[in-house]
Amino acid sequence: MQQIKSEIYRFTNEFRSRAGVQQVSYCNKLDWMGQIHTNEMYTHRFFEHENPYCKKVETLSDRVSYCRLTEMYDMYGENLADYPAVSDTKVLLNSRGEVLDAHKQRTLFSPTELSRNIVTGWYNSPGHRANLLCPDFNYVGFGLLLYPKLFHGVKMKYLLATQNFGRRPESTGRKISNVFKKYFNI
C-alpha cells in the first residue's frame, strides 16, 4: 500500500506541475483523516463524502475536528475513488446470465498503473479536478484500502481511496483563490 500511496502522491504533483500549480507536501495527519473515512466507507458499505453512520466523522469538517486539524489547516478538500485494481473487469456470461469465467485469474495493475488510473480519473472529473489543481492547497494525505468486491458475481480486487487536501495559512499567506471561489460559488 505504501507504494500505491507514493505513486498517487507522485501523480498528484505531476498533474499539478503540468497545470502550473505548486506541488503539495505530504502530511501523515491528512493520511490519518483519509484512512478514517476510507475504513468507515468499507465497514458500512457506502461511497459518499458524508458518513451517514457516525456523527463524529459525518462531514469533512467533522473529520477535521475529530483529527484535531482545525488549528493546522484553514481550508480542506476531498476526493474519493473506488477503482478496480485488476486489468480485466470483463465478465463472460452465457445466454442464461450465468458467469462463465468466475475462476479466471485476473492480473492486478501495478502500483504505478493503478495510481495513474485513479489520479487521471480525478483529473477527468470537474469537481475532483478543482481539488486536485486548487492552488490554495499545499498539503495532501491519503487513506487507502485494497478489498474484494463482487462485480457481476465475480470477486475482484478494488482500491478504495480518500485523498484529503489542506491549506496551512502561514505557508501561503494568501486568501482563497478566485478559481476555487468560482468553482464552488463562494
Side-chain angles (χ1 to χ4, degrees), residues 4-21:
I4 294 171
K5 188 181 289 188
S6 295
E7 288 293 291
I8 292 175
Y9 175 68
R10 183 174 70 82
F11 283 114
T12 294
N13 277 324
E14 188 176 296
F15 275 80
R16 289 176 67 89
S17 291
R18 278 194 237 148
V21 179

Side-chain angles (χ1 to χ4, degrees), residues 165-178:
F165 291 97
R167 177 180 83 162
R168 286 190 185 163
E170 70 278 358
S171 57
T172 63
R174 299 189 325 224
K175 294 181 179 174
I176 297 173
S177 73
N178 290 332

Side-chain angles (χ1 to χ4, degrees), residues 64-82:
V64 167
S65 295
Y66 180 81
C67 293
R68 296 185 175 101
L69 298 176
T70 52
E71 298 298 317
M72 193 176 231
Y73 299 102
D74 69 347
M75 187 175 152
Y76 308 90
E78 180 176 78
N79 287 336
L80 304 177
D82 189 17

Side-chain angles (χ1 to χ4, degrees), residues 7-160:
E7 288 293 291
I8 292 175
Y9 175 68
R10 183 174 70 82
F11 283 114
T12 294
N13 277 324
E14 188 176 296
F15 275 80
R16 289 176 67 89
S17 291
R18 278 194 237 148
V21 179
Q22 73 171 350
Q23 292 191 359
V24 286
S25 297
Y26 169 79
C27 176
N28 62 354
K29 291 182 181 184
L30 290 173
D31 263 10
W32 179 44
M33 187 170 80
Q35 197 63 55
I36 287 170
H37 193 56
T38 297
N39 292 349
E40 284 284 310
M41 287 192 295
Y42 176 75
T43 300
H44 298 293
R45 304 282 190 244
F46 69 94
F47 182 69
E48 303 172 30
H49 291 282
E50 294 198 1
N51 181 343
Y53 298 96
C54 183
K55 294 293 180 200
K56 280 186 180 178
V57 290
E58 181 177 12
T59 65
L60 179 58
S61 180
D62 293 333
R63 290 188 291 279
V64 167
S65 295
Y66 180 81
C67 293
R68 296 185 175 101
L69 298 176
T70 52
E71 298 298 317
M72 193 176 231
Y73 299 102
D74 69 347
M75 187 175 152
Y76 308 90
E78 180 176 78
N79 287 336
L80 304 177
D82 189 17
Y83 200 86
V86 293
S87 59
D88 180 10
T89 57
K90 293 178 184 148
V91 176
L92 295 177
L93 305 175
N94 65 20
S95 60
R96 294 182 304 275
E98 298 165 332
V99 176
L100 296 175
D101 62 347
H103 301 291
K104 176 182 172 185
Q105 186 75 308
R106 288 178 164 76
T107 306
L108 286 173
F109 281 120
S110 71
T112 300
E113 290 171 308
L114 180 57
S115 302
R116 182 186 304 113
N117 292 344
I118 288 172
V119 178
T120 299
W122 286 330
Y123 182 80
N124 290 333
S125 166
H128 295 99
R129 182 174 50 241
N131 282 333
L132 187 67
L133 302 181
C134 178
D136 296 309
F137 293 135
N138 48 25
Y139 286 88
V140 69
F142 312 93
L144 306 175
L145 180 70
L146 194 60
Y147 72 101
K149 181 177 184 176
L150 284 179
F151 183 76
H152 295 288
V154 177
K155 194 181 282 188
M156 294 187 197
K157 294 258 187 196
Y158 269 68
L159 182 71
L160 188 57

